[in-house]
Amino acid sequence: MSVAGNFSARLPAQLRANLTARTALMPAAILVLVALMVVPLPAVLLDLFFITNIAVALIVLMVAINIRQPLDFSAFPTVLLYATLLRLALNVASTRVVLVHGHEGTDAAGHVIEAFGNFLVGGDYVVGLFVFGVLMIINLVVITKGAGRVSEVAARFTLDALPGKQMAIDADLNAGLMTAEEARARRAEVTTEADFHGAMDGSSKFVKGDAVAGVMILAINIIGGLILGIVSHDLTLADAARTYLLLAVGDGLVAQVPALLLSIATAMVVTRVGKTQDLAGQVGMQLGITAPWLPVGVILALLGLLPGMPLLIVVPAAGAAFWLALHRRPTAPAGPAATDETNDAGAQSGARIDWADVADTAPAALDIGFALVSLVDEARGAPLMGRITAVRRQLSKSLGFVLPQVRVRDDLGLSPFRYRITLAGVVVGEDEIFPDDMLAIEAGPISTVLPGRECADPAFGLPARWIDPAEADLAEAAGYTVVDPSAVIGTHLNQLLGLHAHRLLGQDDTQALLDTLAETAPALAGALSPKLLSAAVVTQVLQRLLEEGIAIRDLRSIAAALVAAAPKSQDPAELAELIRPALGLALVQQLAGVKGALLAVALDPGLEGLLVQAVRANPGAAHPFDPALVTRVAEAAASACAPLLAAGSRFAIVTVPQVRRPLWQLLRARVAGVAVLAFPDIPDDRDVEVAAIIGTAPARAAFGPPQGDS
């Protein structure tokens, strides 16, 4: 109560009045309809409501003619319901007046009914009954039945196509062909379309039922009027028939003319095809072409040669057809590009180069050869698009930020079975797959070697072979890991996106992360940016963390560490090193589990001293080590880590803080995937087991945790 009252109090007085009037309008309209059925009305009010009914039907018909697509008149089913209720209520009210006061004369039920009755009956009520019957047949059998059938089929087909349309939207979203806002708008449009056609399927039954009710009400008025006129008012059969038949037919016509207009409007709405033009423009464009009018003119001219044909009518009609054939477009438009105006516009557009033509806004893209298009074909379920969505969702959860969309496009420059993964236009991976085969990967001991096309797994380089899908069960029994082609690309994409995640995080993403943090920790977010650090600096810090495979899910801890470290430095590289101890628990837990000892590879003190001296001699340098020293360290590290890598052990190279980042840069390409930690990164309560020392024998007995910085 208080919330609604406060909200209403803040609205301007005029707006509140408009809202109140609009809210009360529909209930008032329903009450009026009910009153028409139960309260006797004078003839003057009947005339007023009959004219209103005709005006409503005309308005609905004009709107139906001028809409471009059915959804432009999405309120049509509800409007049709209210119009039908209004017409039925008027039928009840007019029937009461006809039966009660019909003996008083043909104007007893109002001048509208009398005028329609005289116009249709024309002095002969028998002819009037037959004419009214013809109108009812046209409305009930032809228009209403056809519109109802079209509504039923459109509703069924729209509902059947709904899952495919939703998948198409997801595919376009994953391919980067639309934004998230555009996808939401299209989903809402698809849902509204399904709801509309479902409502039209039901509301078309209103029109049919109204037509049937009109026939029954006419019969009631005629039979009841004859009985009352003869029995109660002492009229002769001829006088009763003349009076009550005129009133009954006039009443029925007053109701059925608007019903016929609404039936036509319903048929127009449900049969509309296309979204770019209204009905007049669409019909004019498609009928206003040369080819059909010439034979029409010839046939009309031949008809004029028949004996007895009215030449004054046939000859002008044939002349008009010949004139249209000479002055309309020469060919039918096959599509938007077929008209001269569109061709001119297309030529001008082709000659104009826009910034969008030279800029690729998709950070990540997947180019595929034409033989792989079946993997993104909606008719086959687009398995690759679903796989890409799953990869993005999983990586976004694990890394801590929303990965951008991956644009999928076919590239005729690629070989048919090849795909290529690019980040910011730079190729980071490519390989070849076969969409009709399965990839059998030798991930362990193999009991039986299967025939197939030998290759290497794109993601991990393991020996593999492409086999026939019928041999998948046999391959799994032999020890192979069998995956489908979309999973092969998905795994490769997952690996590369995770490896290059730092290149996908932009300043806008960082700002979105900070905005999200502000919802749960507003004081912390406000203290960090822009007060202490700009969004650009925070972005560079997060990029350095992601570059080393450190997730940024715990943004609260990262932000708190940055707030504490900001007074010491504003350099992103130094800040990234300063906040690492705050993330040490998560780093060690990722390698050693919750309680296990960290398996570490240490540096020989002499070698570590050389590295420290090199860093101090070249402060701030990206590569401070001498090339000869780089070769020695790389070989020693590879030798020391080889047994651990072969055994599948999870370990980290541990060194002093000054050397950590340069050493990681040195080893990242030579000992891939190995973490390099500084001693402060390891929590004091975690045990460390030294498995090897770089610079001495690669395998060494276990020592206790290293002491100090050496």
Side-chain angles (χ1 to χ4, degrees):
M1 177 65 182
S2 61
V3 175
N6 293 336
F7 176 74
S8 300
R10 291 194 297 268
L11 292 175
Q14 184 63 37
L15 180 58
R16 289 203 304 272
N18 292 338
L19 289 175
T20 302
R22 199 180 312 164
T23 304
L25 180 61
M26 298 311 296
I30 295 297
L31 292 178
V32 170
L33 293 179
V34 175
L36 289 176
M37 296 182 183
V38 298
V39 177
L41 295 179
V44 175
L45 286 182
L46 273 181
D47 289 343
L48 175 63
F49 282 114
F50 279 133
I51 297 301
T52 302
N53 186 27
I54 295 173
V56 169
L58 288 172
I59 291 173
V60 172
L61 178 62
M62 293 302 106
V63 173
I65 291 175
N66 288 280
I67 60 174
R68 296 179 181 271
Q69 58 175 329
L71 288 184
D72 291 343
F73 199 3
S74 58
F76 181 71
T78 304
V79 172
L80 191 61
L81 169 63
Y82 281 109
T84 304
L85 290 177
L86 173 61
R87 194 161 52 255
L88 293 175
L90 288 176
N91 281 331
V92 174
S94 62
T95 298
R96 181 187 299 109
V97 174
V98 167
L99 295 180
V100 174
H101 301 286
H103 66 284
E104 299 176 2
T106 56
D107 61 346
H111 295 292
V112 175
I113 290 180
E114 182 183 21
F116 271 85
N118 286 325
F119 173 77
L120 183 60
V121 173
D124 190 341
Y125 53 82
V126 177
V127 175
L129 285 177
F130 284 115
V131 173
F132 181 83
V134 171
L135 290 177
M136 291 298 300
I137 292 173
I138 293 174
N139 186 17
L140 181 61
V141 178
V142 180
I143 300 177
T144 302
K145 185 175 182 180
R149 178 57 178 166
V150 173
S151 298
E152 180 183 352
V153 173
R156 185 170 69 247
F157 284 2
T158 301
L159 293 176
D160 291 343
L162 186 60
K165 292 180 179 179
Q166 296 284 7
M167 291 176 61
I169 294 172
D170 293 338
D172 290 346
L173 179 62
N174 293 329
L177 301 179
M178 65 173 63
T179 63
E181 290 75 13
E182 293 172 339
R184 281 193 292 269
R186 281 189 57 185
R187 290 192 186 98
E189 180 181 356
V190 168
T191 303
T192 304
E193 183 182 10
D195 295 340
F196 173 80
H197 286 289
M200 282 301 302
D201 184 24
S203 58
S204 62
K205 305 300 186 295
F206 299 150
V207 180
K208 180 179 180 180
D210 179 44
V212 174
V215 176
M216 299 176 65
I217 292 172
L218 176 67
I220 291 173
N221 284 336
I222 293 175
I223 297 173
L226 291 176
I227 294 174
L228 290 174
I230 295 173
V231 175
S232 300
H233 304 295
D234 298 327
L235 297 176
T236 65
L237 179 61
D239 292 338
R242 185 179 303 107
T243 301
Y244 284 101
L245 279 177
L246 185 145
L247 291 175
V249 173
D251 179 32
L253 187 62
V254 169
Q256 288 308 310
V257 167
L260 182 62
L261 296 178
L262 287 179
S263 299
I264 296 173
T266 303
M268 286 183 175
V269 170
V270 299
T271 55
R272 281 304 309 272
V273 177
K275 299 182 179 181
T276 59
Q277 293 178 312
D278 57 16
L279 183 61
Q282 191 176 30
V283 172
M285 172 174 287
Q286 296 178 5
L287 293 183
I289 53 179
T290 298
W293 287 106
L294 186 59
V296 168
V298 172
I299 293 174
L300 288 176
L302 293 176
L303 286 177
L305 300 178
L306 295 178
M309 275 291 177
L311 295 179
L312 292 179
I313 298 176
V314 176
V315 172
F322 284 123
W323 183 87
L324 289 173
L326 296 175
H327 291 82
R328 302 303 291 176
R329 291 185 301 273
T331 56
T339 63
D340 296 337
E341 295 82 1
T342 309
N343 281 335
D344 294 340
Q348 294 174 3
S349 176
R352 184 173 58 250
I353 300 177
D354 199 357
W355 285 106
D357 298 329
V358 298
D360 189 357
T361 58
L366 172 63
D367 299 331
I368 58 176
F370 72 85
L372 306 182
V373 173
S374 60
L375 297 178
V376 296
D377 186 5
E378 297 176 10
R380 302 188 181 185
L384 181 57
M385 306 311 299
R387 184 75 61 174
I388 293 175
T389 301
V391 167
R392 288 184 58 234
R393 181 180 293 111
Q394 182 60 35
L395 272 178
S396 298
K397 290 181 179 179
S398 62
L399 294 175
F401 75 100
V402 179
L403 266 71
Q405 300 168 355
V406 179
R407 177 177 296 172
V408 180
R409 54 197 176 189
D410 59 323
D411 187 351
L412 296 179
L414 291 175
S415 60
F417 298 99
R418 199 159 190 84
Y419 69 89
R420 177 181 295 153
I421 300 172
T422 59
L423 297 180
V426 179
V427 179
V428 294
E430 61 180 346
D431 214 301
E432 194 173 48
I433 66 169
F434 301 92
D436 296 327
D437 294 340
M438 303 286 282
L439 184 65
I441 305 173
E442 299 180 15
I446 302 300
S447 60
T448 304
V449 178
L450 294 179
R453 189 183 293 106
E454 294 185 1
C455 64
D457 170 42
F460 306 105
L462 297 174
R465 59 186 63 237
W466 290 99
I467 63 173
D468 189 277
E471 299 180 349
D473 294 338
L474 181 61
E476 291 179 352
Y480 289 94
T481 300
V482 181
V483 294
D484 60 83
S486 61
V488 174
I489 297 182
T491 304
H492 197 188
L493 182 65
N494 179 78
Q495 181 198 44
L496 294 176
L497 291 181
L499 186 62
H500 298 276
H502 60 287
R503 298 172 56 185
L504 300 174
L505 180 73
Q507 191 166 327
D508 292 335
D509 303 309
T510 301
Q511 189 60 55
L513 290 173
L514 294 175
D515 293 341
T516 304
L517 178 65
E519 297 176 1
T520 56
L524 178 60
L528 174 60
S529 179
K531 186 176 181 180
L532 291 178
L533 299 173
S534 66
V537 173
V538 177
T539 301
Q540 294 180 57
V541 173
L542 297 180
Q543 287 174 342
R544 292 177 75 90
L545 295 178
L546 289 170
E547 189 178 13
E548 296 193 38
I550 302 174
I552 57 175
R553 293 192 306 270
D554 188 9
L555 189 61
R556 182 191 292 265
S557 299
I558 296 175
L562 285 174
V563 170
K568 302 177 185 177
S569 175
Q570 294 287 308
D571 181 62
E574 294 182 7
L575 288 171
E577 296 300 316
L578 289 173
I579 68 173
R580 286 180 63 89
L583 308 176
L585 181 61
L587 297 178
V588 174
Q589 186 171 313
Q590 184 178 0
L591 296 171
V594 179
K595 297 182 179 180
L598 174 64
L599 195 63
V601 175
L603 295 181
D604 178 76
L607 178 59
E608 193 170 51
L610 291 176
L611 299 179
V612 171
Q613 292 177 10
V615 172
R616 290 175 178 173
N618 300 280
H623 303 284
F625 304 135
D626 181 82
L629 184 60
V630 168
T631 302
R632 175 186 170 188
V633 173
E635 293 176 352
S639 177
C641 297
L644 298 174
L645 292 173
S649 303
R650 299 178 65 83
F651 64 96
I653 298 175
V654 183
T655 184
V656 294
Q658 303 95 311
V659 176
R660 195 208 65 79
R661 177 72 181 187
L663 181 61
W664 175 82
Q665 291 178 321
L666 186 154
L667 298 178
R668 61 185 301 186
R670 297 169 176 83
V671 190
V674 176
V676 180
L677 303 180
F679 292 120
D681 298 345
I682 305 174
D684 295 336
D685 59 346
R686 294 303 293 260
D687 294 332
V688 178
E689 180 182 348
V690 179
I693 296 180
I694 299 176
T696 61
R700 186 180 175 115
F703 296 96
Q707 303 295 326
D709 289 342
S710 61

